[in-house]
Amino acid sequence: MASRHLGKKGIQASFRIGLVLPRVVVASTERQISSTVSKRASESVSFSFARYFHASRETLAKRKEDADRLLSHRERKKQTVKTKGKFSKREKKTDKPPVEAPYVPPRLKRLAKGLPEKTVDIFEGMTLLELSRRTGESVAVLQSILINVGETFSSEFDTISVDVAELLAMEIGINVRRQHSTEGSEILPRPPVVTVMGHVDHGKTSLLDALRNTSVAAREAGGITQHVGAFVVGMPDSGTSITFLDTPGHAAFSEMRARGAAVTDIVVLVVAADDGVMPQTLEAIAHARSANVPIVVAINKCDKPGANPEKVKYQLTSEGIELEDIGGNVQAVEVSAAKSTGLDKLEEALLLQAVDMDLKARVDGPAQAYVVEARLDKGRGPLATIIVKAGTLVRGQHVVIGSQWGRLRAIRDMIGKTTDRATPAMPVEIEGLKGLPMAGDDVIVVESEERARMLSEGRKRKYEKDRLLKAEEARIEEAAARMETESEEGFVRVELPIVVKSDVQGTAQAVADALRTLNSPQVFVNIVHSGVGAISHSDLDLAQACGACIVGFNVKSGSSANLSAAQASVKVFHHRVIYHLLEDIGNLIVEKAPGVSEMEVAGEAEVLSIFKILGKRRTEEDGVSIAGCKVMDGRVCRSGLMRLLRSGEVVFEGSCASLKREKQDVEQVGKGNECGLVMGDWNDFRVGDVIQCMEPVIRKPKFISSESGAVRIEC
C-alpha cells in the first residue's frame, strides 16, 4: 500500500533505477501505465499517472473520446499498421522524397540470337585457362561442358586437343579457326596450285586442254564450263607438275570463282584478245586481290583476225594491273589455245612466279585439305573432290568435313587411279563419308570414330541454329519489304517456291544463288530446298506440298518420277546450260507476276464539229453538246475514260455518256472513222479539241539478260 502513496518524484526515481512496482489491482490501469511509460517522456508519464491512475471505466471511456488527448503507443500503432490475419502490411511513407539510387545496368544474358559473331584461334595442346581467356567464358562453365561430353580433367592447366577445344567453343556459340604448328615437322617444296579465271567464253578450258592434250571443252554442255575442275598437268619442257583449277566464267558462278581464288597460289587471268576486259574479268581481279594472290595474265585468241593484245594491256592497266611492260610485277603472256602457241612462255611465267613465292608445305602429320566440289554417286555414295594443303591424307583415317564425317574408304586421283595417300597440292577424290559436304568446307583428320561423330554432331547443332537464325532474319526482312511494296505499289507480292537439284554441290549452290537474283518487287523467289542427285519422289512430294516447281540441272529423273510429276501437276524444268535455265525461270516469273495497273492511251480523236440538242425547256443550258469527231489514232471505246485536251492541256476527264456512228450506238470506233461523242457533264466543246480514250492495262515486268550473262527482272 505504501507504493500507492508514492509521490511524483518517487515514481520517476523508481523508473530511473529500474525498480519494479508492485502489481496494481486494476488490470486496465496497469496496461495504461505500461503503455504510457514506454513511449512518452518522464513528464508525460507523471502527467498521465497523476491524472488517470485512479480513473474509473467511465473516465477512461471519456478519455478515448477526447480529441486533444495524447495517444498511447498501442493506439499510435493501430493508426499506422493495418492488420489482416497474422500478416501486416506497412503503408508507404510519403512525407519524404524518394532517394535517387545509382543506375545499375542489367547483366547480359546469352540469348538465342546471341552476341555478335566471334572467332578465336585454337591450336593443339592449349589449356583450359587459355581457351577461357580467348572465349571470355569462365573455366567452371568449360569444365562442366567437358564433363557432359565425357572428357576427364584435373585442373585448368590441363592441355586439351584441338578437337575438344572446337567442341567447347561451339557449345558456347563461338566460331573457331584452327592453327597448325609446323614445329618439328618436315617442310618440303610443293607444286603450285593455279586457278584459271576469266570471262565466259574467253578460252579458259580450251587453254587447259592445250596444256594437257585433252578435249574437255568439247564435252561441256553449251560449250561453257559449269563446274570447278581440278587437274594435275605435267609441264612438257620442265618436267614439273602444276595443279590447275578450272572455274566457270558465267556470272551465276561467282561463288565458285571466289572459292577457287581462296585455295590457290597463283591466278591465271585469261582475257580474249578480240573481246577485251569484261565484267567477269573484273570480278576475277577482285577475287584475286581479296585473297592476296598474285596474277599472271594470259591473253588468249591472239590468232584471230580482230585480236588486239595491246588494247587488252591498256584496259588492264586502267584497272590497276601493273604489267611488266610498264614497270610493274604482273607478267602478261600472249597465247593461242587453238594453235597451241605461247604455251611454253606461259609455263615459264608460272614456274618463275612459283619460285619467287618459295612454296613449301608440311608433309608429315594430319592433313589439312579443302573441298573443291562434292557429288553423289549411285554406287559409291557421297564423293568429295579435295586439294590437300598440308600434311598427308591416308586411307582409313577418320575425317570431319563441315558437319559430315566418315572413314576414308578409298582415295582416287583425278584420272581415277586409287592411291593410299595424298600429299600437299594433290587433288584427289575421297569416298566413305556419311553425308554430302558443302563445297568450300575444310577437311579435318581426327583420331577416332567417337571423336569424329561427336564433332560432327556439335557442328550440326551449331549450323542448324545459325541457319534458323538467318532464315528468321530473312523472313522478317522479306515480310517488311513485302508490306512496304504492297502499300506503295498497291499490289500483292506473290511467292514462287523452287526446289533445286543438281549433279554437284557447288553447282547447286550457284544455281540457287542465281535464281535468288531474280527476286523482284512483284515476285519473291523462295528456294525451299537445294540438293544433289536425281529428282526423287520425296522432291515431288515436297514440291506438291508447298506448290513449288522443280529445277533439275544436269540431273535426270526416272519415268516413274515424271509420271508422278504429271499426276501431281508439278512443273519440272530440266536444263544443262545455265543460260536456258535462267531464261525459263525468268519467263515463269513474268507470267506469275501480278503486274501493275496503269492507264494507257488507247486512241485519240479530233473534234471537227459541234452539235447541240435542246432539252424540254428549249434552252441551251438544258441541252446536250455532241462532239463530231474523227479518230486519228488507235480506237475510241465507250467504256474507256475520256480526257479532253485543249492546246495541250487537260481541261476535263470523265466517262463517255454516248458513242454513235451513223446514228447507231457502238462500243468502239477504229482509226479513220467518224463518230459522235457525248462526255458526261461537259458541253463546252470547241473545234480542234483532242479527245483521248484511256484504258487500264496490266504492266508486267520484263526479263532482261545482258551479254555478260547477268540476268534481272525489271518492273
Side-chain angles (χ1 to χ4, degrees):
M1 297 300 292
S3 60
R4 294 186 180 181
H5 300 287
L6 289 174
K8 175 180 179 182
K9 295 182 179 180
I11 295 175
Q12 294 177 354
S14 302
F15 283 120
R16 291 192 188 99
I17 63 177
L19 295 178
V20 181
L21 293 176
R23 181 173 182 85
V24 186
V25 178
V26 184
S28 61
T29 307
E30 182 182 2
R31 287 194 300 270
Q32 180 65 34
I33 293 173
S34 61
S35 61
T36 307
V37 170
S38 60
K39 290 297 178 179
R40 300 297 297 176
S42 58
E43 296 180 358
S44 301
V45 172
S46 61
F47 176 77
S48 300
F49 184 81
R51 186 174 180 181
Y52 297 111
F53 188 77
H54 295 289
S56 61
R57 294 184 178 180
E58 292 79 4
T59 307
L60 292 175
K62 292 180 180 180
R63 173 182 177 269
K64 292 182 180 180
E65 298 175 359
D66 189 3
D68 298 332
R69 65 182 178 83
L70 295 175
L71 300 178
S72 65
H73 167 69
R74 182 171 298 179
E75 290 173 335
R76 287 198 305 271
K77 186 176 181 181
K78 286 183 179 181
Q79 290 185 357
T80 57
V81 179
K82 294 181 178 179
T83 305
K84 183 177 181 181
K86 62 178 180 179
F87 299 101
S88 298
K89 181 179 179 182
R90 295 185 178 276
E91 295 181 352
K92 295 182 179 179
K93 297 181 180 180
T94 58
D95 54 344
K96 294 182 180 180
V99 179
E100 294 185 1
Y103 173 73
V104 179
R107 185 178 180 183
L108 292 176
K109 297 180 179 179
R110 195 180 300 276
L111 301 177
K113 284 190 174 181
L115 301 175
E117 287 290 335
K118 182 180 180 181
T119 303
V120 299
D121 294 332
I122 59 175
F123 52 89
E124 187 73 29
M126 68 186 309
T127 63
L128 271 179
L129 184 60
E130 177 66 22
L131 183 61
S132 173
R133 289 174 179 172
R134 296 192 177 209
T135 59
E137 194 62 75
S138 65
V139 177
V141 173
L142 299 179
Q143 290 176 345
S144 64
I145 299 175
L146 278 177
I147 295 174
N148 292 334
V149 298
E151 295 289 334
T152 59
F153 66 93
S154 58
S155 69
E156 60 188 18
F157 300 103
D158 286 354
T159 58
I160 56 177
S161 66
V162 67
D163 302 329
V164 174
E166 180 180 349
L167 185 61
L168 292 175
M170 285 191 303
E171 289 296 328
I172 59 179
I174 295 178
N175 298 325
V176 297
R177 183 170 47 245
R178 292 186 172 219
Q179 300 293 334
H180 295 269
S181 175
T182 58
E183 183 178 355
S185 302
E186 185 180 6
I187 308 298
L188 297 177
R190 65 170 177 83
V193 179
V194 179
T195 298
V196 182
M197 304 177 72
H199 192 72
V200 63
D201 201 27
H202 276 200
K204 299 180 294 299
T205 306
S206 300
L207 184 60
L208 285 176
D209 287 342
L211 287 171
R212 59 185 175 166
N213 296 322
T214 57
S215 57
V216 175
R219 299 194 300 268
E220 292 283 359
I224 61 172
T225 302
Q226 300 176 125
H227 304 82
V228 174
F231 316 96
V232 177
V233 179
M235 296 291 103
D237 295 335
S238 61
T240 59
S241 62
I242 298 178
T243 300
F244 282 96
L245 290 181
D246 186 15
T247 61
H250 192 273
F253 302 105
S254 176
E255 287 295 326
M256 288 187 178
R257 291 188 290 276
R259 289 196 298 269
V263 73
T264 191
D265 299 317
I266 305 171
V267 167
V268 174
L269 184 64
V270 179
V271 187
D274 61 339
D275 201 7
V277 175
M278 299 297 286
Q280 270 63 64
T281 310
L282 301 178
E283 183 188 291
I285 294 173
H287 288 321
R289 284 175 174 171
S290 63
N292 196 20
V293 176
I295 297 175
V296 174
V297 178
I299 304 177
N300 195 19
K301 302 185 180 181
C302 291
D303 58 311
K304 286 196 170 183
N308 189 355
E310 296 301 323
K311 178 184 177 182
V312 173
K313 293 179 180 179
Y314 175 76
Q315 291 176 339
L316 292 172
T317 303
S318 63
E319 295 297 334
I321 302 297
E322 299 177 355
L323 302 177
E324 287 184 344
D325 295 348
I326 60 173
N329 57 358
V330 177
Q331 303 177 74
V333 183
E334 298 179 11
V335 298
S336 172
K339 296 186 176 181
S340 299
T341 58
L343 300 182
D344 54 345
K345 295 182 180 180
L346 178 61
E347 175 189 349
E348 182 181 352
L350 292 175
L351 294 178
L352 181 60
Q353 185 67 49
V355 170
D356 291 341
M357 298 177 67
D358 191 21
L359 299 173
K360 294 182 179 181
R362 171 179 56 84
V363 179
D364 53 353
Q368 297 172 248
Y370 182 91
V371 177
V372 175
E373 197 58 272
R375 64 187 179 94
L376 279 175
D377 187 84
K378 284 186 178 180
R380 295 187 290 164
L383 304 177
T385 302
I386 67 172
I387 289 183
V388 180
K389 296 186 287 186
T392 301
L393 190 67
V394 182
R395 184 170 61 89
Q397 289 180 331
H398 291 88
V399 294
V400 177
I401 308 178
S403 60
Q404 305 297 334
W405 71 279
R407 184 176 179 271
L408 297 182
R409 189 167 57 245
I411 301 177
R412 291 180 173 85
D413 58 16
M414 300 319 297
I415 61 175
K417 183 180 179 181
T418 59
T419 179
D420 290 335
R421 58 185 60 239
T423 53
M426 182 177 177
V428 293
E429 187 178 64
I430 60 174
E431 65 176 88
L433 302 176
K434 301 297 182 182
L436 193 68
M438 302 293 290
D441 287 341
D442 287 327
V443 180
I444 298 170
V445 178
V446 295
E447 58 185 13
S448 64
E449 178 181 340
E450 182 183 0
R451 182 65 55 81
R453 185 184 291 107
M454 182 175 60
L455 197 57
S456 173
E457 291 176 355
R459 287 186 173 187
K460 284 180 180 179
R461 288 195 300 269
K462 188 176 186 306
Y463 290 167
E464 183 65 17
K465 181 180 178 181
D466 295 342
R467 186 189 67 82
L468 292 176
L469 290 177
K470 290 180 181 179
E472 181 66 18
E473 292 176 359
R475 187 189 64 81
I476 294 175
E477 292 178 1
E478 171 60 26
R482 181 182 300 181
M483 292 178 60
E484 182 179 357
T485 303
E486 292 176 358
S487 61
E488 291 180 357
E489 303 294 339
F491 57 81
V492 178
R493 191 181 189 191
V494 298
E495 180 182 355
L496 177 61
I498 299 178
V499 176
V500 177
K501 296 300 290 291
S502 181
D503 54 344
V504 294
Q505 187 66 265
T507 304
Q509 296 177 19
V511 170
D513 293 339
L515 293 176
R516 289 190 184 96
T517 61
L518 297 178
N519 278 332
S520 67
Q522 299 187 24
V523 178
F524 168 59
V525 178
N526 183 18
I527 307 299
V528 295
H529 175 67
S530 176
V532 176
I535 299 174
S536 61
H537 287 279
S538 61
D539 299 325
L540 295 173
D541 294 339
L542 175 61
Q544 185 179 10
C546 59
C549 63
I550 299 177
V551 171
F553 192 78
N554 279 334
V555 295
K556 298 179 180 179
S557 57
S559 57
S560 60
N562 291 330
L563 180 61
S564 301
Q567 293 176 351
S569 301
V570 176
K571 290 185 178 180
V572 180
F573 298 89
H574 288 280
H575 286 283
R576 298 186 63 200
V577 182
I578 190 67
Y579 296 110
H580 304 157
L581 169 64
L582 296 178
E583 184 177 356
D584 273 4
I585 299 300
N587 294 331
L588 180 63
I589 290 174
V590 171
E591 177 186 346
K592 196 176 182 64
V596 180
S597 179
E598 297 179 353
M599 298 301 294
E600 187 180 57
V601 178
E604 289 186 352
E606 184 180 356
V607 178
L608 302 179
S609 59
I610 302 169
F611 307 95
K612 292 186 179 291
I613 300 178
L614 300 179
K616 295 180 179 180
R617 291 179 290 179
R618 301 294 179 180
T619 60
E620 293 185 1
E621 293 79 5
D622 191 32
V624 177
S625 295
I626 301 175
C629 307
K630 182 178 181 180
V631 181
M632 309 303 295
D633 188 20
R635 69 183 189 279
V636 176
C637 301
R638 182 175 181 179
S639 59
L641 176 67
M642 300 301 171
R643 179 188 291 174
L644 180 66
L645 280 73
R646 183 172 296 165
S647 300
E649 296 182 0
V650 179
V651 296
F652 179 75
E653 284 187 359
S655 60
C656 178
S658 175
L659 180 64
K660 292 189 177 184
R661 183 171 180 269
E662 296 178 355
K663 298 182 181 181
Q664 297 291 328
D665 290 328
V666 293
E667 291 298 325
Q668 66 177 16
V669 178
K671 180 181 178 180
N673 297 319
E674 296 182 351
C675 62
L677 188 146
V678 178
M679 289 178 59
D681 300 330
W682 185 261
N683 292 323
D684 186 17
F685 292 105
R686 296 181 186 179
V687 176
D689 288 347
V690 176
I691 298 176
Q692 290 183 341
C693 178
M694 311 294 294
E695 287 186 340
V697 294
I698 302 298
R699 188 75 62 189
K700 289 276 190 176
K702 296 180 181 179
F703 173 76
I704 298 177
S705 175
S706 63
E707 296 180 357
S708 63
V711 295
R712 71 181 190 276
I713 300 294
E714 188 177 86
C715 296

